[in-house]
Amino acid sequence: MRTTVITGSASGIGAATRARLEAAGDRVIGVDLRDADILADLSKAEGRAAALREILTACDGRLDRFGPCAGVNQSLPLPTIASVNYFGTVELIDGLFDALQAGEAPACVAICSNSARMSPFDETPFVRALLAGDEAQAHAALADGGNGFLAYAGSKLAVGKAVRHRADAWGRAGVRLNAIAPGATRTPLLESTLADPQYGRFAKELPIPLGRFGEPEEIAGIIEFLLGPATAFVHGAIWYADGGT
Ligand code: NAD
């Protein structure tokens, strides 16, 4: 039986991915703030370290698939957005590398966002600090004139870059690493964005040629696809799923 870890497994895309992979026969270890096999706060370095310890114990150091789905939007403080979205993803990816290398046809799919490419964030001090792995500097950069959009989209841009930066080492080690960049997807996270006085209008006016928001099950289907044998030659890629936005 394949062993798979999903963070953010209690809600939205993570919950849909958990359900889909369990239906396919995986043993899924869920990680979240609540309603999960492992309770951990990924916004804190101690929470991430504890999550890694508990995951490695639960899977006995051998893992087949990983879907780090936990994420937060601009409704939370800016440092929390950076810490959960970037460090809660990248520290866990790196921390599970050895366990994945010991797995069967191992693969990981990180969650980016189509918002990552809606502004030229590449050279901002915030994104540079994230990619340098400097959490304190990333928080300081946000304190210096940052806003929710930079924190969210910048952290997602950095996740996509972190995935691509690892393509060489991970590919040579036989562990596939890709990302999905969803557009607006009907989850509690999107509902809170739509209700936001500052960002709600922007979300409602997003051009979506297919004329609707995505469903979490649709994103989960692509995550399963990218984790599975049909994409055995797909590596270091970012797959957009946003209705054409
Ligand atoms: P969601 O709010 O439904 O689920 C997010 C999950 O992450 C929740 O279960 C939450 O408890 C968990 N989480 C939040 N903070 C945490 C923390 N500190 N420690 C541990 N777990 C924590 O949101 P969703 O829409 O399913 O989002 C899943 C991922 O998809 C996120 O990374 C999000 O940024 C990304 N995404 C979502 C959309 C969208 O429109 N819904 C679009 C692009 C990308």
Side-chain angles (χ1 to χ4, degrees):
M1 184 190 274
R2 278 184 306 247
T3 301
T4 299
V5 168
I6 303 292
T7 71
S9 59
S11 176
I13 292 168
T17 304
R18 172 175 204 154
R20 199 171 175 108
L21 295 179
E22 281 181 338
D26 288 26
R27 170 197 175 211
V28 175
I29 302 166
V31 181
D32 208 306
L33 290 168
R34 60 185 168 83
D35 301 330
D37 307 289
I38 295 174
L39 300 181
D41 181 356
L42 302 179
S43 73
K44 304 274 187 315
E46 316 82 71
R48 298 190 290 268
L52 281 170
R53 276 196 306 274
E54 290 194 46
I55 291 168
L56 292 170
T57 301
C59 72
D60 205 16
R62 189 185 164 287
L63 188 63
D64 303 308
R65 318 199 211 187
F66 180 37
C69 295
V72 296
N73 66 4
Q74 74 298 319
S75 62
L76 291 185
L78 302 186
T80 307
I81 302 171
S83 293
V84 177
N85 290 4
Y86 185 81
F87 294 100
T89 297
V90 175
E91 276 187 18
L92 265 71
I93 286 177
D94 287 343
L96 294 176
F97 176 71
D98 289 346
L100 283 163
Q101 223 185 326
E104 178 78 23
C108 172
V109 176
I111 317 295
C112 188
S113 162
N114 71 344
S115 63
R117 282 290 169 203
M118 290 182 188
S119 199
F121 291 134
D122 295 54
E123 295 307 323
T124 59
F126 172 56
V127 169
R128 280 205 301 268
L130 291 177
L131 290 170
D134 190 335
E135 194 167 9
Q137 187 56 41
H139 292 174
L142 286 173
D144 186 15
N147 57 43
F149 186 60
L150 170 66
Y152 184 81
S155 66
K156 292 297 184 177
L157 175 69
V159 165
K161 283 176 173 281
V163 163
R164 291 176 64 78
H165 290 165
R166 284 158 179 73
D168 185 46
W170 282 55
R172 289 175 193 280
V175 187
R176 291 192 305 112
L177 175 61
N178 292 292
I180 180 167
T185 305
R186 201 173 285 288
T187 69
L189 181 144
L190 177 64
E191 295 305 334
S192 74
T193 301
L194 291 170
D196 185 292
Q198 187 182 358
Y199 294 102
R201 193 174 60 92
F202 172 73
K204 285 176 197 141
E205 289 175 0
L206 269 178
I208 307 176
L210 289 186
R212 64 173 177 86
F213 295 138
E215 297 297 332
E217 293 73 20
E218 293 177 298
I219 304 301
I222 299 162
I223 294 172
E224 182 186 25
F225 174 64
L226 289 172
L227 287 172
T231 54
F233 196 54
V234 181
H235 176 59
I238 301 178
W239 184 298
Y240 280 73
D242 64 359
T245 303

